[in-house]
Each structure stands twice: as C-alpha cells, then as structure tokens.
Amino acid sequence: MKQRIKVIEGYPSIGKTEWAIQNINESGEARILYITPFLGEVTRIADACQQKGFLAPDKKQGYGSKTPHLIDLIRKGRNIVSTHSLFLRADPKVLAALESQGYVLYLDETVNAVQKLSALNSDMQSEYDSLDYKAKTKTTESDLRTLI
C-alpha cells in the first residue's frame, strides 16, 4: 500500500478542521482514524460525519481501558475518532492493527503545539488571545497551505 503524508497548515480558526470534515464526508476512504487533542472535538467529528459512522473507544466496552476497545474497533474496520491521549498510549499491537487494516490517519493539531499552548504564561496567553483570525464557514483547499 502506498503511504503518503498530507499536511494542512494555517492560522487558528481558519477552517482546517472544517476542511477535514468536508474531505472525510466527500471521500471514499474506507477506514479512518481521526485523532484530536480535545474530548469535545470527538463528539463534533462524530456528529459532523454521521454517514461515516465514527465510534469513540469506550472504557466500559474495553473492560476498564479504552485500548482493548480501540483494537476491537480497528480489527472490525470501523471509523474511529479519539484523543491524542489515547493515541499516544498506542502500543505496537494497535499500530500493527492500524497498518494491516489500511487506515487513513487524520491528526488534528500536532501534539507539541497543544502542549506548548497549554504551557503559555498568562502574559503570553493574553497576547495570543488578542490576535484576530478570520474564521470561514466553508474552507476550500486553496484557502489552506497543503504540503505533500
């Protein structure tokens, strides 16, 4: 299977996640793993891509841990949405299952960017909050810088 990486970059609130949602809904990709830094975004992605039937790993179905349920969902070829936290705990069994099933990975935000933002001191956070970025309701691919 041919592997490629496509990076979509842009300022906050320019519509990168909306582009991903639009791309997922219009794509014929059979197996998708969408990883986001925030738990609230898990619900947003599942709701916005209802026809894709995204499921989130669940502790109850994983007998106290989300990882066994994640592996089960991968083996069944289900579309999955989860957080960076679970993805960072992925062991070799999870990664092997993803590769064998041919999943397409959407990684919303880099892990380091989220960690750095949470580490900003209050002065830096105030400056960051004051920046003005124009949000778009529908983002086209030409609005974003795409690196392949």
Side-chain angles (χ1 to χ4, degrees):
M1 175 169 69
K2 182 180 175 184
Q3 295 180 350
R4 76 179 185 161
I5 297 173
K6 188 174 195 177
V7 177
I8 308 300
E9 70 174 2
Y11 292 111
S13 300
I14 195 171
K16 297 179 299 293
T17 301
E18 284 301 317
W19 177 87
I21 289 168
Q22 181 180 336
N23 191 60
I24 289 167
N25 284 329
E26 294 174 358
S27 78
E29 296 163 340
R31 295 178 181 94
I32 299 168
L33 174 63
Y34 193 103
I35 301 297
T36 180
F38 308 110
L39 197 53
E41 289 289 292
V42 169
T43 303
R44 176 183 174 202
I45 298 301
D47 289 347
C49 303
Q50 288 183 3
Q51 74 273 17
K52 295 293 185 176
F54 275 93
L55 295 173
D58 181 64
K59 272 195 327 190
K60 291 178 185 172
Q61 294 186 40
Y63 305 102
S65 170
K66 291 182 181 182
T67 302
H69 189 223
L70 173 62
I71 293 170
D72 186 49
L73 292 172
I74 294 168
R75 287 185 179 144
K76 290 178 179 176
R78 301 300 303 262
N79 289 326
I80 303 162
V81 59
S82 190
T83 61
H84 284 191
S85 178
L86 180 61
F87 190 65
L88 289 172
R89 293 191 312 260
D91 61 20
K93 286 192 294 190
V94 171
L95 300 177
L98 285 169
E99 187 172 3
S100 72
Q101 291 287 352
Y103 270 81
V104 174
L105 172 65
Y106 284 79
L107 184 58
D108 192 345
E109 301 295 339
T110 62
V111 177
N112 289 341
V114 172
Q115 290 171 341
K116 286 180 185 177
L117 182 60
S118 66
L120 292 177
N121 67 35
S122 60
D123 290 338
M124 291 171 69
Q125 186 65 50
S126 296
E127 187 175 329
Y128 178 82
D129 290 340
S130 70
L131 295 174
D132 181 30
Y133 297 105
K134 296 178 181 175
K136 297 184 177 190
T137 56
K138 186 171 182 180
T139 303
T140 63
E141 202 159 336
S142 64
D143 293 325
L144 304 169
R145 183 170 162 205
T146 306
L147 308 171
I148 298 180

